[in-house]
Amino acid sequence: MPRSHALPVPADAPLVRARRQRVQAAATGVAVLKGLSRLDGRASLTALAAQLGESPAKVHRYLQSLVEEGLVAQDPSSQHYYLGPEAIQIGIAAMRQADPLRAAEPALARLRERLEVTCFIAVMGNKGPTIVRFEEPGLPVTVNVRVGSVLSMLWSATGRVFLALADDSRVEAMAREELASATPEQRQQLDPHDPLGRLREEVRSLGMACIRDVYLQGISAVAAPLYDHSGRVRAVLTALGATGGFDASPQGPIAQALAVEARAASAVLGHRP
Amino acid sequence: MPRSHALPVPADAPLVRARRQRVQAAATGVAVLKGLSRLDGRASLTALAAQLGESPAKVHRYLQSLVEEGLVAQDPSSQHYYLGPEAIQIGIAAMRQADPLRAAEPALARLRERLEVTCFIAVMGNKGPTIVRFEEPGLPVTVNVRVGSVLSMLWSATGRVFLALADDSRVEAMAREELASATPEQRQQLDPHDPLGRLREEVRSLGMACIRDVYLQGISAVAAPLYDHSGRVRAVLTALGATGGFDASPQGPIAQALAVEARAASAVLGHRP
């Protein structure tokens, strides 16, 4: 059978082009919506057209369509356009879908591959910071963690991030409880006058927690927060390894990569720094 | 000069039609977004196409465009589509724009015209329920209110709506303070055993507050809450008049019209009952 070398049937082309134009138009409608959102949700036609780099006449046509769909409304006194009730509903549905586990999974995979370290995501459970997902590198010997493990509030890097950055009364209560039942050796690792306050200060100034041989002898870890749209810490991303082969310094490559990944996952959750 | 009776130049028609098609396409893109929002922000292509009554192929093209714009994302494991970070940002901007005053202004105008009653919008100020906007009917004699006036928490219809339905610790504190400094005559109007609890029960069962000669002799009023997207009471809409000519019963035409307007204004603020 002879192989055909013909180009795609030309008769298809107008249909394909028309489809592409329609999809392009849909993208323009969405761009108008995003433009209004960037202008804090409210703008004059002139300001919005300038922001989008489009003619006011064109932007006006798309706005009419968005007004009909309830995503945009027009203030009768100022004539300004603003994001309307349907935009609120879409935002609420999007916030409900924002899942820290899903947002941070690609980060786990990238950290494992790039840095060959064990890394995990922890959320605040009712017993304390709890590991919910982890990745380990394909090395012969690795430091392992277990899904479901509850970590220390005061002596793990993960716990310290929650302690310093989560606005949660349970966190404070759990930290005080751990402090009360700490051994003299554990207490020695903390500031004698203001143990919780100093831990918080340190984490807040770095934006992350870095520990070396604190929780477990021979183990170091760095941990960074995942924020959501409201600025709340929803989860903590942690990388750990054997102290000898793991650079836990805040300026080291592991901490820096972790910070970049935590910011990217936070952006997926709707966080704007 | 002879007047032209010519029809619009036919040469314009294709351009106009093409424009209309593009705007129609933008509306389709927005409809896909709204469809995903109705399905709680997450759905398979099949489910979304069924919800929209469109072919999966067409919905898929629009989804690709929404994915490119960051409004929608696709879960790599389930292949489901869900509302993404840009949708959160649009929702946040829309929530910031949701203004109870602007949402309820059309209601004030309609109530004044349809019922010929004085009506106002009050918000919770730092001294108590505060009138921020009012409309009075064009009658020779009307009951008047003043912008900036602070109303009683316990003896005004407006205050009772905040007391019963606003989840705000200041409201409780102000109500207790008023109760403590009430005259024996004022106390007599309330339940002797559980004055605040009974007031709350009454308003909650009606969904509004109706008073007659309680705050001021000869004045009756009905008040209903304006809820926002989170279910919080953002403002209260109140109608009032001289008791003789004002039907303050919960089933009367004024209370019923007020309830309809309060629900409509709440919907504009993103409230879904």
Side-chain angles (χ1 to χ4, degrees), chain B residues 89-100:
Chain B
Q89 296 308 320
I90 288 171
I92 290 172
M95 287 168 194
R96 285 208 192 107
Q97 280 308 316
D99 172 7

Side-chain angles (χ1 to χ4, degrees), chain B residues 51-243:
Chain B
Q51 144 96 11
L52 295 164
E54 301 273 9
S55 78
K58 181 175 177 183
V59 172
H60 183 256
R61 285 197 301 277
Y62 284 93
L63 277 170
Q64 292 314 106
S65 159
L66 292 167
V67 167
E68 268 167 42
E69 296 285 338
L71 270 99
V72 171
Q74 191 176 16
D75 189 328
S77 57
S78 68
Q79 304 290 311
H80 284 194
Y81 291 91
Y82 60 94
L83 292 169
E86 280 291 342
I88 297 180
Q89 296 308 320
I90 288 171
I92 290 172
M95 287 168 194
R96 285 208 192 107
Q97 280 308 316
D99 172 7
L101 256 166
R102 192 169 56 210
E105 273 200 355
L108 284 187
R110 279 192 296 263
L111 288 172
R112 182 200 61 191
E113 275 169 38
R114 278 188 44 202
L115 305 171
E116 296 206 311
V117 293
T118 298
C119 48
F120 62 82
I121 306 166
V123 298
M124 196 61 206
N126 61 341
K127 299 290 184 195
T130 310
I131 297 174
V132 288
R133 184 94 177 75
F134 80 100
E135 288 279 350
E136 50 182 350
L139 298 173
V141 179
T142 63
V143 174
N144 217 327
V145 297
R146 200 184 291 273
V147 166
S149 296
V150 175
L151 301 169
S152 160
M153 207 74 230
L154 295 184
W155 285 281
S156 77
T158 314
R160 288 182 181 184
V161 171
F162 280 115
L163 175 67
L165 303 171
D167 184 19
D168 185 336
S169 58
R170 291 177 308 166
V171 166
E172 174 79 21
M174 286 175 186
R176 298 215 164 272
E177 213 169 283
E178 269 190 42
L179 195 62
S181 61
T183 64
E185 292 75 33
Q186 286 177 319
R187 284 297 293 247
Q188 267 190 338
Q189 301 185 11
L190 303 179
D191 185 86
H193 305 296
D194 184 10
L196 301 188
R198 286 298 291 275
L199 277 183
R200 283 200 181 103
E201 261 172 47
E202 196 185 306
V203 172
R204 283 177 189 164
S205 72
L206 291 173
M208 60 170 71
C210 304
I211 67 161
R212 186 189 292 263
D213 304 334
V214 171
Y215 194 34
L216 292 166
Q217 271 301 321
I219 300 293
S220 291
V222 291
L226 303 187
Y227 293 103
D228 72 4
H229 63 90
S230 67
R232 201 161 67 86
V233 176
R234 287 285 298 273
V236 170
L237 186 62
T238 306
L240 77 167
T243 300

Side-chain angles (χ1 to χ4, degrees), chain A residues 34 42 69 89 102 270, chain B residues 34 42 69 89 102 270:
Chain A
K34 281 165 70 178
R42 182 182 181 81
E69 296 284 338
Q89 295 309 321
R102 193 168 55 209
Chain B
K34 281 166 70 178
R42 180 183 184 81
E69 296 285 338
Q89 296 308 320
R102 192 169 56 210

Side-chain angles (χ1 to χ4, degrees), chain A residues 209-246:
Chain A
C210 304
I211 67 162
R212 187 189 291 262
D213 303 333
V214 171
Y215 193 34
L216 292 166
Q217 270 301 323
I219 300 292
S220 291
V222 291
L226 303 187
Y227 293 104
D228 72 4
H229 63 90
S230 67
R232 201 161 68 86
V233 176
R234 286 285 297 274
V236 170
L237 187 62
T238 305
L240 78 166
T243 301
F246 186 96

Side-chain angles (χ1 to χ4, degrees), chain A residues 19 21-31 33-34 36-42 58 61-62 64-66 68-71 75-76 82-98 102 229-230 267-272, chain B residues 19 21-31 33-34 36-42 58 61-62 64-66 68-71 75-76 82-98 102 229-230 267-272:
Chain A
R19 265 188 195 162
Q21 282 172 350
R22 283 198 296 272
V23 169
Q24 177 53 44
T28 306
V30 168
L33 208 54
K34 281 165 70 178
L36 201 50
S37 162
R38 297 239 160 76
L39 295 168
D40 288 329
R42 182 182 181 81
K58 181 175 176 182
R61 285 197 301 276
Y62 284 94
Q64 293 314 106
S65 158
L66 292 168
E68 268 168 43
E69 296 284 338
L71 269 99
D75 188 328
Y82 60 93
L83 291 168
E86 280 291 344
I88 297 180
Q89 295 309 321
I90 288 170
I92 290 173
M95 287 168 194
R96 286 208 192 106
Q97 281 307 317
R102 193 168 55 209
H229 63 90
S230 67
V268 170
L269 295 173
H271 181 61
R272 294 282 156 106
Chain B
R19 266 189 194 162
Q21 282 172 349
R22 283 198 296 272
V23 169
Q24 178 54 44
T28 306
V30 168
L33 208 54
K34 281 166 70 178
L36 201 50
S37 161
R38 297 241 159 75
L39 294 169
D40 288 328
R42 180 183 184 81
K58 181 175 177 183
R61 285 197 301 277
Y62 284 93
Q64 292 314 106
S65 159
L66 292 167
E68 268 167 42
E69 296 285 338
L71 270 99
D75 189 328
Y82 60 94
L83 292 169
E86 280 291 342
I88 297 180
Q89 296 308 320
I90 288 171
I92 290 172
M95 287 168 194
R96 285 208 192 107
Q97 280 308 316
R102 192 169 56 210
H229 63 90
S230 67
V268 169
L269 294 173
H271 182 60
R272 294 280 157 107

